[in-house]
Amino acid sequence: MKSRPYKLPDGYSVTFERTPLGITCEWSPRMPRGRKAKRVMPYYIAARDEWLAGQATAMGGSALVIEL
């Protein structure tokens, strides 16, 4: 099941989905690049963490994120 769209700065939004292979992200209008990506990234991380916390709670567990 897909998440609600999370609104991000500069007109971007992202939707998350849990799949058997992991997590997918659907960007609108597209994934930002360069300086816009640097500006949007902290908001993306906050949205991702909020969504993951909700997923973990719904499954009765917790979530660990490792960024490489």
Side-chain angles (χ1 to χ4, degrees):
M1 187 167 126
K2 288 187 179 182
S3 73
R4 67 175 173 81
Y6 287 84
K7 293 188 185 293
L8 306 173
D10 298 330
Y12 289 98
S13 68
V14 65
T15 303
F16 302 99
E17 184 174 17
R18 189 167 38 100
T19 69
L21 298 177
I23 298 168
T24 60
C25 302
E26 186 177 312
W27 287 86
S28 180
R30 65 191 170 290
M31 188 171 159
R33 304 208 186 283
R35 288 184 183 171
K36 283 191 178 183
K38 286 183 180 181
R39 174 168 156 61
V40 170
M41 191 55 63
Y43 298 93
Y44 161 79
I45 291 170
R48 180 204 61 197
D49 291 351
E50 178 184 318
W51 179 75
L52 281 173
Q55 293 293 300
T57 300
M59 293 174 35
S62 59
L64 172 67
V65 176
I66 300 172
E67 295 185 24
L68 303 175

